[in-house]
């Protein structure tokens, strides 16, 4: 059995929706998968992002996700990665989703709610994984140990731009900068703006500037990526909705970027909102 898994990048938080809001982006990692009868052992090749850095054994993230679905047979993977690693664009979630969907496909199963559960358990939250699985805009939450998400279509006027620095970051490192508690006023602010963000992303992008205003995580993480916060503040002062993508250091903005904003050191890319989520295509 041979097939191709194509999985989109994602952005999470979107300012106010910390660990709850996500959106799929038109940047993709492709994994060619061979398994089942006639395939023995494990082989992995990696091209693009992560080549030469990621392990090529059972500890590879895609392989771990495949095994988490219960598939134990032979496996051959060719990974072609375009999603930058450790930049806040969901590269780990994309690898996990690719592995989970590959494992389901190798066992003749369609991805279902169990796929989200398995994928989210790797990271402890479902926002990025749900976006890569389902496409569009997602709201993710947990009920005890159960992860859930709902998908919505983004308004056609939502026009994401990502500004990707060369600097890497990690969720583990930046999450360690967050306080254990926040003021009640900040929590109330986040609740209102997160609700507004759902409306803005799906119905009325004209209110995205207010909807993406954050008090829960970005300022606390500024020591990890001061240039990111500078660009965000400069854009917002000029009326451009902007925030940190995921755990950073990438900036996500919406609309045209004013020429006077200094984006030196950032790779600026306009991306579509991915609407389909992960895709599987037979190769035989």
């Amino acid at each position: 059995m041979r097939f191709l898994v194509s999985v989109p990048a994602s952005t999470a938080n979107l300012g106010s929706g910390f660990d709850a809001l996500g959106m799929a982006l038109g940047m993709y990692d492709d994994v060619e998968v061979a398994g089942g009868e006639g395939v023995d052992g494990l082989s992995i090749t990696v091209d693009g992002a992560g080549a030469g850095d990621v392990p090529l054994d059972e500890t590879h993230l895609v392989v771990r996700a495949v095994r988490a679905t219960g598939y134990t047979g032979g496996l051959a993977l060719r990974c072609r990665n375009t999603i930058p690693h450790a930049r806040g664009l969901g590269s780990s979630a994309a690898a996990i989703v690719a592995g989970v969907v590959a494992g389901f496909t190798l066992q003749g199963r369609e991805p279902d709610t169990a796929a989200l559960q398995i994928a989210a358990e790797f990271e402890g939250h479902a926002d990025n994984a749900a976006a890569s699985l389902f496409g569009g805009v997602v709201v993710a939450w947990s009920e005890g140990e159960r992860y859930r998400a709902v998908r919505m279509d983004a308004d056609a006027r939502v026009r994401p731009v990502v500004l990707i620095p060369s600097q890497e970051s990690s969720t583990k490192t930046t999450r360690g900068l967050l306080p254990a508690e926040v003021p009640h006023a900040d929590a109330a602010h986040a609740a209102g703006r997160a609700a507004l963000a759902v409306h803005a992303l799906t119905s009325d992008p004209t209110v995205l500037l207010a909807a993406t205003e954050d008090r829960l995580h970005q300022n606390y993480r500024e020591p990890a990526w001061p240039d990111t916060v500078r660009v965000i503040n400069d854009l917002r002062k000029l009326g451009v909705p902007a925030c940190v993508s995921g755990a950073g250091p990438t900036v996500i903005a919406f609309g045209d970027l004013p020429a006077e904003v200094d984006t030196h050191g950032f790779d600026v890319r306009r991306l579509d909102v991915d609407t389909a989520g992960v895709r599987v295509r037979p190769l035989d």
Side-chain angles (χ1 to χ4, degrees):
M1 179 184 292
R2 294 180 61 247
F3 54 91
L4 178 71
V5 179
S6 183
V7 58
S10 59
T11 183
N13 301 331
L14 292 161
S16 55
F18 184 64
D19 278 0
L21 296 182
M23 185 170 65
L25 299 172
M27 177 190 296
Y28 302 90
D29 282 354
D30 292 331
V31 183
E32 291 184 17
V33 182
E37 186 175 351
V39 179
D40 298 318
L42 174 66
S43 66
I44 308 169
T45 60
V46 178
D47 298 315
D53 296 324
V54 299
L56 301 178
D57 55 21
E58 289 283 345
T59 63
H60 188 282
L61 192 51
V62 175
V63 180
R64 289 172 54 205
V66 170
R67 300 306 188 203
T69 69
Y71 178 79
T72 59
L75 193 60
L77 304 176
R78 182 176 180 85
C79 305
R80 298 192 297 272
N81 299 333
T82 64
I83 304 172
H85 285 195
R87 301 296 201 286
L89 289 169
S91 61
S92 61
I96 292 163
V97 167
V100 170
V101 171
F104 273 55
T105 303
L106 287 165
Q107 297 171 82
R109 301 167 58 190
E110 290 290 330
D112 53 19
T113 55
L116 176 62
Q117 181 67 25
I118 294 169
E121 286 176 352
F122 273 83
E123 295 197 305
H125 46 91
D127 44 7
N128 289 102
S132 288
L133 270 170
F134 306 134
V137 176
V138 297
V139 178
W141 72 99
S142 61
E143 298 173 356
E145 296 183 354
R146 183 186 180 195
Y147 294 98
R148 301 191 63 186
V150 293
R151 180 203 178 279
M152 297 157 287
D153 290 326
D155 188 283
R157 294 168 291 175
V158 172
R159 302 168 59 228
V161 180
V162 293
L163 297 85
I164 309 169
S166 58
Q167 171 193 3
E168 293 187 1
S169 184
S170 73
T171 302
K172 181 179 180 180
T173 298
T174 57
R175 194 169 287 268
L177 298 174
L178 303 181
E181 298 178 354
V182 297
H184 186 276
D186 289 350
H189 178 277
R193 298 308 173 93
L196 181 61
V198 174
H199 172 73
L201 291 166
T202 60
S203 301
D204 185 8
T206 64
V207 294
L208 271 170
L209 183 62
T212 54
E213 185 180 358
D214 167 71
R215 293 185 186 176
L216 290 185
H217 66 105
Q218 289 182 178
N219 289 337
Y220 295 110
R221 288 167 159 171
E222 182 176 4
W225 16 252
D227 286 341
T228 293
V229 174
R230 173 189 59 78
V231 169
I232 289 170
N233 290 339
D234 289 348
L235 287 169
R236 294 186 67 85
K237 287 174 184 176
L238 294 171
V240 179
C243 52
V244 177
S245 180
T250 292
V251 176
I252 184 163
F254 298 92
D256 297 325
L257 304 187
E260 57 265 44
V261 174
D262 180 9
T263 60
H264 179 73
F266 290 82
D267 177 11
V268 180
R269 306 186 198 179
R270 183 172 296 282
L271 301 175
D272 293 329
V273 177
D274 174 88
T275 60
V278 63
R279 305 160 178 84
V280 179
R281 179 169 61 87
L283 293 177
D284 289 332

